[in-house]
Amino acid sequence: EGGQTVGGISEPSTPSLPSIPLPRTPEWDITVCSVNSSDQIHLWLGGAKEQLKSLHTSMQLQHRVSSIGRTTSSSDRPEVGSLYSALVSDGQCRRVRVLQVDRSNNTSRCLMLDYGEEEVVYWNRLAKLEMKFMELPIQAVKATLAGVDRNTEKKVVHFVKQCLMGRRLVGVLVGEVVNTIPALVLIDTSQEEDIMVSEKIINYMGNINNNVHNQIPTNHPLSK
């Protein structure tokens, strides 16, 4: 995520969190932490979930102490591009970078760095991220699903989320890492026989494409 443009805003070089190094092996132990489209996901490597749980607990305690008696004013407006500890909608604490501020309702659009998802947060639920919480590298790794066509329709994204979210899988690297974004085939090895999870998504996308094609009138140029 470091150095990439998110939401039309170029992330500054400082302050920044280190990026997690990608495995050098072709097979990765991964857990899917967010789904952005039919073919684009963010994932955690290995035991990232346990590391984040410990980090978030420490952040939550610190955040609550620093928030005692705090009120919101215009002087508390967060700085775009800066790092914060955020109490998000589910009551959990997350490391975020502010992408945009809205003075009309004292909210900020933030990127949850360890999840690859955006969240709108009230200013009084943000606290400057302390240095001790910057040591752990950004855990969310952006990846694409090899062989899956891109689609951002809500029903499609929902289907992919049902297939992948929170699952610990094996990601098999396809080709080389291009622009630091790996392309993976996802496999479930927890059963007696390995299950190619990616194939389920590919078949679903194929059915959608066939349905769209079948709805095109026979005299339409695209039907030929």
Side-chain angles (χ1 to χ4, degrees):
E1 304 298 331
Q4 293 184 0
T5 298
V6 180
I9 298 171
S10 180
E11 296 182 21
S13 57
T14 57
S16 62
L17 299 176
S19 298
I20 190 168
L22 298 180
R24 296 185 178 183
T25 57
E27 295 187 0
W28 301 0
D29 174 14
I30 67 112
T31 302
V32 177
C33 61
S34 69
V35 174
N36 306 104
S37 67
S38 59
D39 72 325
Q40 190 176 95
I41 63 173
H42 283 80
L43 56 87
W44 294 328
L45 296 169
K49 184 176 182 179
E50 289 72 27
Q51 293 185 75
L52 285 173
K53 184 177 180 180
S54 176
L55 175 72
H56 293 157
T57 299
S58 299
M59 287 171 58
Q60 197 167 36
L61 292 173
Q62 185 66 38
H63 188 102
R64 287 175 175 172
V65 169
S66 66
S67 298
I68 294 176
R70 183 181 174 191
T71 58
T72 303
S73 67
S74 59
S75 61
D76 294 324
R77 186 174 72 248
E79 299 174 3
V80 172
S82 293
L83 300 175
Y84 292 86
S85 166
L87 281 173
V88 295
S89 57
D90 60 0
Q92 299 297 312
C93 224
R94 299 289 183 259
R95 298 190 296 181
V96 304
R97 188 185 299 280
V98 171
L99 303 179
Q100 191 176 54
V101 296
D102 187 341
R103 300 183 188 184
S104 67
N105 57 10
N106 290 348
T107 62
S108 296
R109 184 167 60 86
C110 303
L111 174 67
M112 296 190 289
L113 296 168
D114 297 304
Y115 290 78
E117 292 184 317
E118 293 184 9
E119 181 92 0
V120 175
V121 184
Y122 283 101
W123 296 353
N124 63 355
R125 296 174 72 84
L126 292 171
K128 278 284 190 179
L129 190 65
E130 297 189 13
M131 289 299 297
K132 62 183 177 181
F133 299 136
M134 297 186 188
E135 296 176 2
L136 183 71
I138 294 174
Q139 295 299 297
V141 176
K142 186 176 182 179
T144 59
L145 302 180
V148 177
D149 295 329
R150 175 157 301 184
N151 190 309
T152 56
E153 292 180 42
K154 284 187 177 181
K155 67 175 183 179
V156 174
V157 175
H158 178 70
F159 175 82
V160 178
K161 283 183 176 181
Q162 286 186 313
C163 289
L164 302 181
M165 280 294 292
R167 293 183 66 180
R168 194 154 187 174
L169 304 165
V170 172
V172 180
L173 186 64
V174 176
E176 298 181 357
V177 176
V178 179
N179 296 326
T180 72
I181 301 177
L184 302 172
V185 170
L186 303 185
I187 300 173
D188 183 354
T189 59
S190 65
Q191 311 297 321
E192 289 187 5
E193 293 186 6
D194 292 351
I195 300 172
M196 187 181 292
V197 182
S198 291
E199 187 174 20
K200 184 177 181 180
I201 298 172
I202 292 171
N203 291 340
Y204 176 81
M205 295 301 300
N207 289 334
I208 287 180
N209 293 336
N210 288 336
N211 289 338
V212 170
H213 183 79
N214 291 337
Q215 291 172 10
I216 298 174
T218 55
N219 61 347
H220 193 284
L222 291 179
S223 68
K224 300 177 181 180

